[in-house]
Amino acid sequence: MTAVRFFSSLANVPALAWDALHDGRNPFVSHAFLHGLEAQGCLREEWGWTPHHATLWEGDLLVAAAPGYLKENSHGEFVFDHAWAHAYAQHGLDYYPKWLGGVPYSPVTGPRLLALDHGHRALLLTSIQDEALRLNLSSAHINFPTPAEDAGFPEGWLPRIDVQYHWRNPGHWRDFDGFLADFDHKHRKNIRQERAKVQRAGVTFRVVHGDDASETDLQVMFGFYLRTFRDYGNSPALTLQFLQHLATSLPRNLVLFLADHQGRTIAGALCLRGGDTLYGRYWGAESALPGLHFETCYYQGIDYCLREGLKIFEPGAQGEHKIARGFLPTFVYSRHWIARPDFSAALAAWSREETLAVRRYARSLQEHTPFKHRD
């Protein structure tokens, strides 16, 4: 008999059982990453993140699970539903709390319904809906599932799409020069000039994995992260302890690109590495040297992917400027179950219109590709 259980902490779920439900190629759904957020002070109650993980058990065997959270706001989700919350408020209804299936602060595509088979996955979704009704929640949401997973959602889970900018190796790029050879002259020249400015300034780069990172490296990178959030007036969610945790628990998944200049580290980008994908997450700098941002955040990552044989580089959400540097528009997905049938019908119509608009936007972006041709 299958039992449904929701947990307020992944400490209550054995790591081996959780990680047996996925192939290990996406570090963001690993027990080490998700539990690390909880244990190292990154999920703060005042920011609206309360762990509420969905699990299915057959006896002592974990057969399905979804990382989930009760949300009192939409902070740190990157799928924007503020208009929905406003619509609820206009009708005198509460949109929050809601249930969110996803990875906090991480707009990266990956598996969300971890299961041994399709039947357990379907039952997991039904259990999430039942839990939302039991708790009198307005809705349940699954953010950034894989395209294959998105295609398997049943009717009633409203689809939404958005656009990010991803680098993909079509298979014939062996090095950075080969990558640039597919660019038109204007964009190829611009990238070479950007890289040359950084080199002429005397900046050198180190690629440091978690198990090679010194305590100083981690502290400096964390300082850059804090500086960036402070510069933009945002509150940093991650802690130094979490970064230290990643370095020890996911040592080869954590990748730091550190820029050194005149004897000190002046900039850095924090990335995570998956099976065939590099995920850019955070960057920061204490210097505004020309070209430093693009070199640290994009070109060093592309170089790394080409050396390591990685096929995809997801540098983070938003940013049309990434197109000129070889990151092309890519659809990302989310699914939404709305408890009230009247609101579900209205939001379904809204989502259809949004989808048409996003697809038009993506087509317009394709006109600005820097490549001479697309394979």
Side-chain angles (χ1 to χ4, degrees):
M1 183 175 178
T2 303
V4 179
R5 300 173 193 161
F6 283 81
F7 290 103
S8 60
S9 173
L10 275 187
N12 297 317
V13 182
L16 289 177
W18 181 277
D19 288 334
L21 297 176
H22 63 93
D23 61 12
R25 295 175 62 80
N26 187 293
F28 294 92
V29 295
S30 68
H31 191 280
F33 186 91
L34 293 167
H35 181 240
L37 289 172
E38 298 175 12
Q40 305 303 328
C42 303
L43 301 182
R44 305 180 190 181
E45 186 175 347
E46 63 267 28
W47 290 348
W49 290 92
T50 301
H52 199 65
H53 307 297
T55 66
L56 296 182
W57 301 79
E58 291 183 351
D60 293 330
L61 178 64
L62 181 66
V63 296
Y69 305 85
L70 298 175
K71 292 301 305 302
E72 296 288 347
N73 52 46
S74 296
H75 173 265
E77 297 179 21
F78 295 92
V79 175
F80 303 107
D81 58 356
H82 303 99
W84 294 12
H86 182 65
Y88 270 72
Q90 285 184 315
H91 288 80
L93 300 171
D94 292 327
Y95 184 63
Y96 305 107
K98 62 181 184 179
W99 185 89
L100 172 70
V103 181
Y105 319 120
S106 302
V108 298
T109 293
R112 294 294 179 261
L113 303 172
L114 315 179
L116 296 180
D117 56 43
H118 177 73
H120 289 127
R121 188 174 292 110
L123 183 55
L124 184 64
L125 274 180
T126 300
S127 301
I128 291 168
Q129 293 172 208
D130 291 343
E131 181 72 354
L133 291 172
R134 186 184 74 83
L135 296 177
N136 196 30
L137 306 180
S138 71
S139 50
H141 311 258
I142 307 286
N143 286 356
F144 302 106
T146 65
E149 195 173 51
D150 178 76
F153 272 81
E155 186 177 355
W157 283 80
L158 307 181
R160 294 183 68 189
I161 62 171
D162 200 355
V163 172
Q164 290 183 359
Y165 305 91
H166 298 172
W167 178 92
R168 279 181 164 78
N169 190 340
H172 61 266
W173 297 334
R174 297 290 181 263
D175 53 29
F176 206 93
D177 285 338
F179 164 60
L180 286 184
D182 277 357
F183 276 62
D184 62 37
H185 174 74
K186 174 184 174 182
H187 289 93
R188 181 169 60 247
K189 179 180 178 181
N190 181 65
I191 289 177
R192 284 177 171 163
Q193 289 177 338
E194 287 177 341
R195 302 201 80 184
K197 290 176 182 177
V198 179
Q199 292 174 349
R200 285 196 299 269
V203 179
T204 60
F205 282 85
R206 292 180 290 132
V207 180
V208 181
H209 292 90
D211 51 358
D212 298 321
S214 67
E215 183 60 28
T216 298
D217 290 333
L218 297 176
Q219 290 180 358
V220 167
M221 185 65 242
F222 185 69
F224 292 145
Y225 163 75
L226 293 180
R227 184 187 186 107
T228 298
F229 272 70
R230 183 175 65 247
D231 288 347
Y232 284 93
N234 296 323
S235 298
L238 304 186
T239 63
L240 176 59
Q241 291 75 20
F242 178 67
L243 184 55
Q244 294 165 335
H245 165 78
L246 291 182
T248 56
S249 63
L250 296 170
R252 300 307 292 178
N253 297 104
L254 179 64
V255 186
L256 305 179
F257 299 99
L258 300 176
D260 294 333
H261 183 248
Q262 297 181 349
R264 73 181 194 277
T265 303
I266 62 169
L270 187 157
C271 300
L272 286 174
R273 173 180 175 163
D276 64 356
T277 304
L278 182 67
Y279 304 93
R281 296 304 303 118
Y282 301 103
W283 112 286
E286 65 176 41
S287 175
L289 292 176
L292 183 60
H293 172 258
F294 299 128
E295 182 67 37
T296 308
C297 291
Y298 306 140
Y299 304 144
Q300 286 294 312
I302 292 172
D303 255 335
Y304 179 86
C305 289
L306 291 166
R307 290 195 306 270
E308 296 289 318
L310 302 183
K311 298 177 181 178
I312 304 169
F313 180 14
E314 297 186 18
Q318 305 170 340
E320 292 182 10
H321 63 277
K322 296 170 184 171
I323 297 175
R325 293 159 180 89
F327 297 84
L328 297 186
T330 304
F331 289 123
V332 292
Y333 305 89
S334 61
R335 288 281 177 162
H336 311 267
W337 180 82
I338 310 300
R340 287 179 59 110
D342 52 345
F343 269 78
S344 182
L347 292 177
W350 184 93
S351 296
R352 287 192 293 269
E353 291 297 320
E354 180 194 46
T355 295
L356 292 174
V358 171
R359 292 192 181 278
R360 285 195 299 269
Y361 173 63
R363 286 195 296 269
S364 70
L365 292 174
Q366 292 290 352
E367 300 175 2
H368 303 286
T369 173
F371 294 105
K372 295 181 291 189
H373 57 81
R374 292 290 308 277
D375 291 335

